[in-house]
């Protein structure tokens, strides 16, 4: 059970490190092909979402690896569940029905949170 939680958290962290890093480093024009929603959100908010994703990714993997503040890993996973609920809402409000990735990330975050919380 512990290994499954670690694998789920690591995969989720890789995804969010990549996506969050792009939001932090790329301009609106370079983000637009991958993330159409960036046109409807101010760039400081896009950057803040990127920072939250990067910090959350670190929160998923560092506490279990170091043994310090291990409660942060399930808290980070819960944060990603909430983030994906918001992202799904934005997609649906914009008329974008392609939410399979959002729902997959939501389920992965919920699974990771449940597995890491159960191993505390």
């Amino acid at each position: 059970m512990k290994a499954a939680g670690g694998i789920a958290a690591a995969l989720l962290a890789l995804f969010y490190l990549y996506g969050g890093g792009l939001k932090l480093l790329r301009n609106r024009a370079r983000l637009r092909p991958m993330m159409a929603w960036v046109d409807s959100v101010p760039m400081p908010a896009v950057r803040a979402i990127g920072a939250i994703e990067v910090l959350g990714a670190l929160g998923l993997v560092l506490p279990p690896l170091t043994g310090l503040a291990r409660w942060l890993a399930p808290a980070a996973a819960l944060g990603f569940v909430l983030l994906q609920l918001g992202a799904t809402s934005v997609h649906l409000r914009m008329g974008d029905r392609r939410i399979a990735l959002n729902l997959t990330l939501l389920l992965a975050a919920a699974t990771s949170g449940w597995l890491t919380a159960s191993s505390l």
Side-chain angles (χ1 to χ4, degrees):
M1 194 82 129
K2 193 173 187 175
I7 291 169
L11 292 174
L12 204 56
L14 285 174
F15 179 87
Y16 281 112
L17 278 174
Y18 176 72
L22 291 180
K23 290 175 189 88
L24 285 172
L25 300 174
R26 288 190 175 178
N27 62 26
R28 188 181 306 272
R30 291 192 61 207
L31 288 172
R32 191 176 297 118
M34 295 170 36
M35 305 169 199
W37 59 269
V38 297
D39 285 333
S40 65
V41 177
M43 277 311 285
V46 174
R47 301 278 189 237
I49 292 168
I52 289 166
E53 289 178 349
V54 169
L55 292 172
L58 295 174
L60 281 175
V61 295
L62 290 180
L65 288 177
T66 62
L68 301 172
R70 294 184 51 176
W71 59 270
L72 281 175
L78 175 61
F80 284 134
V81 167
L82 297 174
L83 180 78
Q84 287 308 317
L85 287 172
T88 301
S89 171
V90 168
H91 282 275
L92 292 174
R93 204 167 354 123
M94 292 177 56
D96 183 3
R97 301 288 181 235
R98 295 172 294 169
I99 57 171
L101 178 60
N102 299 100
L103 296 177
T104 301
L105 290 170
L106 187 147
L107 289 172
T111 301
S112 174
W114 176 67
L115 291 172
T116 54
S118 67
S119 69
L120 287 181

